[in-house]
Amino acid sequence: PLGPRNCVAPSAAPPAEGMIHFDLAQAAMQPQLAIDLVQTVYPEVVCICAGFTWVDGCEREPQKANAMNNRGPAVLAAAAAAVGAKVVWYSTDYVFSGGSSLPGSGGSKANGVAAADAGGPYGEEDPPSPLNVYGSSKLAGEAAVLAADPSALVLRTNVVYGPEHVGKNFVYQLARKLGSGEAMNVPVDQIGTPTYNRDLADATKRLVEAGASGLFNVGGPEPLGRVAFAEKVITALGGRRPLDAGLIKPVETVNAGQAACRPLASGLKLDKLRAAIPDWAPRSVAEAIDDWLANPHGKSLGE
């Protein structure tokens, strides 16, 4: 069974207890590093969670984006498949445009993919149309991982939140800023299906145990704009972590000063996932926050 007692976590940073050093970007250039890693452990399942997820940073460093979101995962997938391990890799709804067009595209094609679509939520069969380097590198990574291992499991997800050691997801940012009395600009026009990370982990485990392969969406139960998401978090926290909703400053994405274009009307449909694991259900924001506070792990909210 999957669990903390029988998992080994690689890290590009100085490894903590139970972790070993591995640099995915280096492995993209030196596949032997991936081979050495899997032959150190001979795992049954390899979940490739690492990637270059700083969307604006990907615009500035496209080579790093493609190393960590495309070539590196494919190299690791090939190495894992060679020792008989099940491969799981995580992608993103940013492979879609969210109904937006690249500036100056006029809705035509850009880089060989459609520059706009009707918007989400999206199913697995919907044609991708990334707007930025991050989305393009992840889309290329999907194809590369499945080419390296056709039995791999590729999971698209979005707006992931929940307890973590780094404390960088949206809910941490919200609690940190509003908790210190600082206003926070929140895009008013970005819609997704926020995903509780423990639900994502549970869906991963269930899909692996079911022998699933190919592309699946894993997301939250309902489409939410970022402002509505923030307000639901504040309401769910209530008196346990009081935050002032008046400090939320809605801004349009075009005025947010971001280097990369963002999909606006996005989110993920879960029909295929529910058919594969019918006993799985994503938690609402309120349920997720209750679980988070009842079972804290990693950084505390507000740190």
Side-chain angles (χ1 to χ4, degrees):
L2 299 177
R5 288 187 176 85
N6 51 16
C7 290
V8 174
S11 172
E17 182 181 355
M19 304 180 78
I20 57 178
H21 183 266
F22 179 71
D23 191 314
L24 189 61
Q26 287 185 354
M29 302 295 106
Q30 299 173 267
Q32 187 63 43
L33 294 174
I35 296 170
D36 292 345
L37 173 68
V38 297
Q39 292 185 353
T40 297
V41 183
Y42 282 93
E44 294 181 14
V45 180
V46 173
C47 294
I48 308 173
C49 307
F52 190 23
T53 60
W54 179 25
V55 178
D56 289 346
C58 287
E59 295 294 311
R60 301 183 182 103
E61 299 182 78
Q63 290 184 334
K64 180 179 178 180
N66 277 287
M68 295 192 67
N69 298 337
N70 176 5
R71 293 191 303 272
V75 164
L76 185 51
V83 300
K86 178 67 176 181
V87 173
V88 183
W89 185 65
Y90 297 89
S91 189
T92 172
D93 68 327
Y94 273 46
V95 300
F96 299 108
S97 75
S100 303
S101 298
L102 290 167
S105 71
S108 62
K109 290 194 173 184
N111 299 322
V113 295
D117 54 44
Y122 296 98
E124 291 84 353
E125 73 287 350
D126 288 322
S129 48
L131 294 175
N132 51 48
V133 171
Y134 172 63
S136 296
S137 66
K138 280 290 196 175
L139 181 60
E142 292 179 359
V145 166
L146 288 169
D149 178 13
S151 67
L153 185 59
V154 173
L155 303 181
R156 286 177 180 158
T157 190
N158 72 137
V159 197
V160 178
Y161 69 100
E164 59 175 67
H165 288 287
V166 178
K168 69 175 184 178
N169 68 57
F170 178 78
V171 174
Y172 275 107
Q173 295 176 45
L174 184 75
R176 195 158 44 238
K177 286 200 171 188
L178 272 58
S180 65
E182 182 182 351
M184 180 174 175
N185 290 338
V186 177
V188 73
D189 50 357
Q190 292 183 23
I191 300 171
T193 44
T195 309
Y196 187 41
N197 58 9
R198 286 173 171 159
D199 290 343
L200 176 58
D202 185 46
T204 300
K205 178 176 181 290
R206 290 170 184 261
L207 286 168
V208 168
E209 291 173 345
S213 61
L215 182 63
F216 282 83
N217 290 340
V218 183
E222 61 178 332
L224 289 171
R226 288 297 178 94
V227 172
F229 178 36
E231 290 171 345
K232 281 181 176 285
V233 169
I234 292 170
T235 299
L237 288 170
R240 296 172 294 182
R241 297 284 194 284
L243 299 174
D244 182 1
L247 292 172
I248 296 174
K249 304 302 179 187
V251 296
E252 291 187 354
T253 297
V254 70
N255 297 321
Q258 297 169 322
C261 295
R262 261 68 169 178
L264 300 182
S266 191
L268 298 168
K269 295 179 181 178
L270 303 179
D271 304 53
K272 182 179 178 181
L273 179 66
R274 289 189 170 111
I277 47 173
D279 55 344
W280 175 89
R283 279 168 275 200
S284 67
V285 173
E287 292 168 336
I289 295 297
D290 283 346
D291 178 75
W292 185 345
L293 295 182
N295 304 282
H297 185 71
K299 278 196 173 185
S300 298
L301 279 173
E303 283 190 65

